């Protein structure tokens, strides 16, 4: 057997997705996700101009060898564009292998270690009243864990707060379901870390008073704090027993996490912008984090994600794979299979895709009673309706930027 064709499909049902479809000479097809939010076409070019011609004629069964070939032959290692392109190939090859075996992918990864994957949803509100309503609505939908993002007094517009409403280009689409907004320029938002550090503990206190001690609560700090500010926040949130504090500080400076760890027992999750296991090396081996936030799509695929999780298992560090809407249903399915198979699964982020997206990507995945399951169809369990995909052409969209009161650009 060998790979006979490779197609790159760009579609934008209400956000942009890049999908690679590989087909063998026997007509078995596999899908891989190559979506890099806000920089989608760079990965299209990487695949189209430099990768697909290398794949034709290769044995589709040799997944590890193909991964190493693409990684090493590029010479220029790592980086989100390269690793999203390699991920798409890797995931498509696993899809083909599992379809050929007649098994859902998780069976090839060792079988199921649990009945389903605990998911957390995104609750948010500018005021506590709005936030409580959002948490209640998530509980009604079945969620057993929620991420809590809150408005900050004095700030008009902050990433991830639903009440910041809808973009002109996407009326009716909740902002917390879609951080990248269509348009020629990124949206500008504002930020003030001192106000945030003062306000957030009061929000968590109110949430615990309203919803009690049982509900697992998470929070995303979006790289906005310095290490010492992150340490302060972790400490001030300790009474509210967070499941995790995510991206409390930019992790390029990994030693900064030692400062955070010295001061707080709030569990830490990091890694949604990481591309390889090497980005986690210090954080895992020094036990500076508790959860690995990588996504199959931005991390080179199923092959390295599994390796990173086996490395993390030695340190009792668990998974918390990145699951925003910009991970397509294909990438999401890939990491659900990994999450079901590994022993050290922690929790899975779940931002539901829109109806339009689900009409393009038909999925066997289910969400019931707070738990996700990838389904038992052979392969990943995702089919792409190419006709539907073609009816949604690419539209430029950007993630927002944030500025401090004096105009200084800040992480959002
Ligand atoms: O593309 C960026 C989004 O994926 C990001 O906003 C999501 O921080 C995020 C999260 O935790 O889902
Ligand atoms: Mg995040």
């Amino acid at each position: 057997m060998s790979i006979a064709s490779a197609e790159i499909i760009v579609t934008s049902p209400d956000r942009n997705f890049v999908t690679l479809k590989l087909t063998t000479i026997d007509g078995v097809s596999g899908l891989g996700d190559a979506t890099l939010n806000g920089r989608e076409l760079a990965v299209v070019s990487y695949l189209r101009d430099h990768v697909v011609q290398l794949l034709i004629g290769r044995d589709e069964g040799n997944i590890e060898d193909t991964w190493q070939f693409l990684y090493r032959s590029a010479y220029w290692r790592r980086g989100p564009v390269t690793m999203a392109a390699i991920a798409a190939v890797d995931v498509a090859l696993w899809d083909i292998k599992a379809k050929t075996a007649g098994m859902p992918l998780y069976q090839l990864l060792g079988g199921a270690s649990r009945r389903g994957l605990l998911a957390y949803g995104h609750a948010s509100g500018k005021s506590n009243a709005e936030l409580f309503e959002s948490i209640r609505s998530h509980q009604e939908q079945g969620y057993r864990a929620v991420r809590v993002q809150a408005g900050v007094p004095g700030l008009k517009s902050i990433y991830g707060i639903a009440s910041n409403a809808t973009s002109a280009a996407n009326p009716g689409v909740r902002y917390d379901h879609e951080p990248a907004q269509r348009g020629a320029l990124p949206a500008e938002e504002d930020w003030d870390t001192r106000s945030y550090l003062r306000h957030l503990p009061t929000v968590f206190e109110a949430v615990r008073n309203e919803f009690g001690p049982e509900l697992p609560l998470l929070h995303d700090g979006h790289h906005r704090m310095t290490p010492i500010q992150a340490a302060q926040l972790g400490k001030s949130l300790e009474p509210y027993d967070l499941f995790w504090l995510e991206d409390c500080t930019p992790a390029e400076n990994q030693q900064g996490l030692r400062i955070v760890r010295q001061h707080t027992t709030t569990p830490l999750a990091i890694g949604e912008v990481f591309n390889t296991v090497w980005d986690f090396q210090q954080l895992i081996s020094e036990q500076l984090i508790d959860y690995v936030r990588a996504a199959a799509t931005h991390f080179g695929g199923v092959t390295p994600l599994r390796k990173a999780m086996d490395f993390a298992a030695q340190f009792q560090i668990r998974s918390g794979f990145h699951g925003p809407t910009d991970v397509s249903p294909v990438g999401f399915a890939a990491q659900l299979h990994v999450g079901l198979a590994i022993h050290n699964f922690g929790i899975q982020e779940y931002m539901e895709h829109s109806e339009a997206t689900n009409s393009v990507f038909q999925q066997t995945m289910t969400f019931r009673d707070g738990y996700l399951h990838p389904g038992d169809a052979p392969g990943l369990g995702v089919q792409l309706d190419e006709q539907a995909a073609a009816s949604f052409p690419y539209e430029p969209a950007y993630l927002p930027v944030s500025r401090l009161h004096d105009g200084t650009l800040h992480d959002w």
Side-chain angles (χ1 to χ4, degrees), residues 120 122 147 159 220-223 246-247 272 293 322 349:
Y120 73 88
H122 288 198
R147 188 183 89 163
Y159 154 79
D220 192 345
H222 270 292
H223 312 108
E246 174 186 341
D247 287 339
E272 68 182 46
R293 283 285 289 149
H322 193 205
E349 180 182 26

